Amino acid sequence: MDMPKWNPSVACLFVGLACLTNVDAAKVLLIIADDLGRDSLAVYNDEPSASIPPTPAIDSLAANGILFNRAYAYGTCSPTRASILTGRYDFRTGVDRPEGPDLKANEFTLAEAIVESGVIGSRLAQIGKWHLGSDPDAPNDHGGWPHYAGMLGGGVPNYYSWTKTVNGTNTSRYTVYTTTDIVDDAIDWIEDQGTEDWFLWVAFNAPHSPFHLPPNDLHDYDHLDGSDADVAANPRPYYEAMVQAMDTEISRLLESIDLADTTVIFMGDNGTPGQVVQYPFVRGHAKGSLYEGGVNIPLIIAGQSIPPSLEGSINQSIVHSVDLYRTILDLFGVDPGVLPQELAFDSRSFHAVLTGASDSHTRTFAYSSKPGSAGGADTMLVNADHKWIVVDGGAQEFYTLADGLEEDTDYWGALDQAQFASYQLFLQETESLQNIPEIFETYLDDQNQFTLELGWFANAQLTLQTRSHLFAGDWEEVASFTMSDDSGSVYYLRDNAPFSGTQFYRVVIDEI
């Protein structure tokens, strides 16, 4: 299939338009719910048999903003959070699962990009769940946040007794209900900014397990007794009470801002957990899976950036959590030149969709993955019509989205013409999902040692090999090979033996 040719005049036109676009958001509030799938929100699930908790605050955001029906992320929280914070896929950052590895210090994060740009100074913060490393300094040092307050791990053992971290200092047995404490901190921080512009990332740990009954004034599930036995026997109403409690506190948070000068982004990080998921999804198609119930997430954007003509609209564009990186930078008018060229970014801004300049995003595929059972990864590609899942070990599945969110008919092995056409496009798209470092320079340093500089490259083991003839003999690993970085986005591979005669080198990449 012929690929469309790049038209430089069109590209220059787009760049020119981007440069002339006015900044349309003075303040940005990102709200992330933890383990809240689309099956538990009335604005996404109108199935009569579904049990939906009251969420008037979230409903109001949808009524006054844009609801994205085809927003994708990862099936678990850490990869989704890393993708937003770095603008890069999991195979680039190495963050592919909740239990590690941690976010690396030399990623160029969203927070660092905003600070570097100088558009709002250092008036940005993250409050709530981190889950990208257990070091209490990690949100500041690795995440780049000037201010952080919240919980470091994936969940808390008890919503009423947990360890709170504030800018590197831990306080154990903190007793304020987590959802309330997060909003308390968020409101205090917003008030401290006065009338200045700011960016605030608010990450709830609710409604993640354990399914503890919230304070009575935050929900209407008065019949629940809160006992461990009752939670174990019937967890769904406790989950719903936590969702309603979060919505109640979101309402209080929204009262502290003005939507006339603030853009609010609300999202879930992945699907609903299997033990509490409901129609149209089932346990195996929930959190942790690559099915729609695991990776098709709630995403609603409201506030200043949204023109009145788009309030209450539903957008069918394919967007990905990784796209929030560039979109938020565009909301602040950050020059993309601030991003280091050594890094491969996967983020694509859908800012034009928010402002009404375009009714569709430029992304035509969404990608997701999860650790596989054979040491590799299960992967997913989805386009407007179809989904292709490749299971680690070789099995494949193919779904037609028009059949419904249930994905109960696998067409693999009997693809029709339209399905096969999508499959061919999926194969082409996989070529762009290669984690290949860009080589910037090779030279002999002042010690006469061969040195190679390449862009920051995570999630793989690199080996430098050599031989004396390009087309003869075996490649051998350089015995004195070392690799170092500049604490930024460049890696240095060096043969520490002095260079002599004719020598050829290559870099071998072993994916982890």
Side-chain angles (χ1 to χ4, degrees), residues 182-399:
I182 288 169
V183 170
D184 286 345
D185 282 355
I187 292 174
D188 288 345
W189 186 86
I190 291 172
E191 290 177 348
D192 287 343
Q193 310 316 304
T195 59
E196 301 287 348
D197 300 341
W198 48 260
F199 173 47
L200 179 59
W201 171 314
V202 175
F204 290 102
N205 64 307
H208 191 288
S209 62
F211 302 131
H212 290 164
L213 188 64
N216 291 334
D217 60 339
L218 299 181
H219 66 89
D220 298 326
Y221 292 76
D222 300 332
H223 63 286
L224 302 177
D225 64 26
S227 66
D228 291 344
D230 194 43
V231 173
N234 194 21
R236 175 69 197 186
Y238 288 91
Y239 175 85
E240 292 182 14
M242 295 168 70
V243 172
Q244 185 183 7
M246 180 181 64
D247 186 86
T248 301
E249 293 292 26
I250 289 175
S251 178
R252 185 164 65 95
L253 174 59
L254 295 178
E255 289 173 358
S256 70
I257 66 170
D258 185 353
L259 286 178
D261 65 6
T262 307
T263 297
V264 177
I265 304 169
F266 172 83
M267 65 177 293
D269 61 352
N270 49 246
T272 300
Q275 65 267 43
V276 290
V277 76
Q278 63 178 347
Y279 187 87
F281 308 122
V282 295
R283 181 180 287 265
H285 287 207
K287 174 186 176 179
S289 79
L290 296 178
Y291 300 105
E292 295 293 284
V295 296
N296 186 337
I297 61 167
L299 176 64
I300 300 166
I301 302 180
Q304 182 193 10
S305 301
I306 311 302
S309 60
L310 293 180
E311 292 179 358
S313 64
I314 298 176
N315 191 282
Q316 300 294 341
S317 297
I318 294 176
V319 299
H320 193 283
S321 58
V322 75
D323 295 332
L324 287 172
Y325 185 99
R326 293 296 296 267
T327 303
I328 292 171
L329 291 183
D330 277 355
L331 286 171
F332 284 111
V334 173
D335 186 337
V338 74
L339 304 181
Q341 62 173 339
E342 298 86 4
L343 286 174
F345 288 94
D346 303 293
S347 183
R348 301 180 185 180
S349 173
F350 56 93
H351 178 255
V353 175
L354 303 183
T355 62
S358 175
D359 59 3
S360 62
H361 187 24
T362 58
R363 178 179 293 280
T364 55
F365 296 87
Y367 152 86
S368 191
S369 74
K370 68 185 186 72
S373 58
D378 298 348
T379 60
M380 176 219 78
L381 280 172
V382 63
N383 62 15
D385 302 307
H386 302 105
K387 175 186 285 187
W388 179 42
I389 295 176
V390 180
V391 180
D392 187 25
Q396 300 181 60
E397 302 173 19
F398 203 94
Y399 298 95

Side-chain angles (χ1 to χ4, degrees), residues 38-39 41-52 278-281 406:
R38 50 185 292 151
D39 58 297
L41 291 175
V43 292
Y44 277 99
N45 191 358
D46 59 1
E47 168 60 34
S49 65
S51 178
I52 304 292
Q278 63 178 347
Y279 187 87
F281 308 122
E406 300 90 338

